[in-house]
Amino acid sequence: MFKKKKLNKIIVSENSFNDNDPYKIIGSNISVVNVLREEGTDIEEIHDDAMLSYYVDFYLAQYNNGNFSQFVWNSKWDEELIENIAIGLEKMGAEKHLQFFEEQCSKVENLSKEELDAFLDGEYFGENPTRDLLNNDAFFDIDEKLIELNSKWLKNHPDLKVHSIDDMFAAIEKFLGRKIEKY
């Protein structure tokens, strides 16, 4: 059986690693993941922890933009994604966020299949009691900063590989086994 290759490094730019803005390294990881995905790389081929950072950032962005209900709706409540976010939060040491996430997940799990399907297949805006039930502004009062935890975790990761922009693309091309058009 043909075994797919696996990227064994989390690749980020030197500029993002050295920047004082903790989001820069997260953004660099996201950019690398996006390039790999655009070039046809399967998620299973990308470093697991690069994907966990990516997923936690997705969760945070969705929550900040539209609360928990938006995350549920836009993720279509993908069980693998939910599990990976929980793993990512745990690995980053975001204990309070993990506890809150699990409490919010239990709200979804307490919905009937019909209620969840109706929410996911229905209109998000307008009158929507399921959306209102899932929202919880207590997220914004949690005294852990997810961006800082994610950034610190990436910066201290044993598989982190910091490159100049040119070397970053060279590493991606080496993994892909072909040249890519730079963005």
Side-chain angles (χ1 to χ4, degrees):
M1 185 78 178
F2 175 73
K3 187 176 181 204
K4 290 187 176 189
K5 61 187 179 221
K6 180 91 168 173
L7 185 60
N8 61 2
K9 295 290 179 193
I10 300 171
I11 300 170
V12 297
S13 73
E14 190 173 44
N15 292 344
S16 73
F17 183 81
N18 293 325
D19 200 295
N20 289 332
D21 179 350
Y23 192 76
K24 293 292 185 180
I25 193 169
I26 298 166
S28 185
N29 178 61
I30 289 168
S31 295
V32 170
V33 168
N34 286 339
V35 167
L36 288 166
R37 297 289 295 132
E38 288 164 11
E39 293 296 324
T41 304
D42 290 334
I43 290 171
E44 296 79 29
E45 296 174 282
I46 300 171
H47 193 288
D48 293 340
D49 289 347
M51 292 308 305
L52 294 179
S53 172
Y54 185 93
Y55 294 143
V56 167
D57 183 71
F58 171 76
Y59 164 66
L60 176 62
Q62 293 298 307
Y63 215 114
N64 281 333
N65 192 43
N67 216 297
F68 191 72
S69 64
Q70 180 175 306
F71 165 72
V72 173
W73 200 76
N74 284 338
S75 71
K76 299 299 178 196
W77 200 245
D78 180 279
E79 289 183 24
E80 189 174 343
L81 175 64
I82 305 311
E83 183 180 324
N84 281 317
I85 290 168
I87 293 167
L89 290 170
E90 183 178 357
K91 283 188 167 192
M92 290 171 195
E95 295 170 11
K96 293 174 185 175
H97 275 285
L98 177 58
Q99 180 181 359
F100 180 83
F101 182 70
E102 289 171 343
E103 290 168 5
Q104 287 299 110
C105 289
S106 70
K107 286 184 181 180
V108 178
E109 291 159 5
N110 287 331
L111 295 173
S112 70
K113 180 175 177 2
E114 293 77 19
E115 287 173 310
L116 180 58
D117 288 346
F119 174 68
L120 296 177
D121 296 336
E123 287 295 321
Y124 182 77
F125 296 105
E127 189 173 319
N128 191 330
T130 304
R131 177 199 62 212
D132 299 340
L133 171 76
L134 294 175
N135 285 342
N136 187 343
D137 288 341
F139 173 88
F140 303 105
D141 297 327
I142 298 172
D143 64 352
E144 289 177 329
K145 297 186 180 348
L146 266 183
I147 290 172
E148 289 175 15
L149 290 169
N150 194 344
S151 174
K152 183 178 177 184
W153 180 61
L154 284 175
K155 284 188 175 189
N156 292 297
H157 200 286
D159 295 338
L160 185 70
K161 189 69 180 162
V162 179
H163 287 293
S164 68
I165 297 291
D166 287 341
D167 288 347
M168 196 168 78
F169 276 98
I172 293 169
E173 289 173 342
K174 181 178 179 185
F175 173 74
L176 294 172
R178 60 182 162 76
K179 289 273 188 201
I180 58 173
E181 193 173 313
K182 293 189 176 135
Y183 298 81

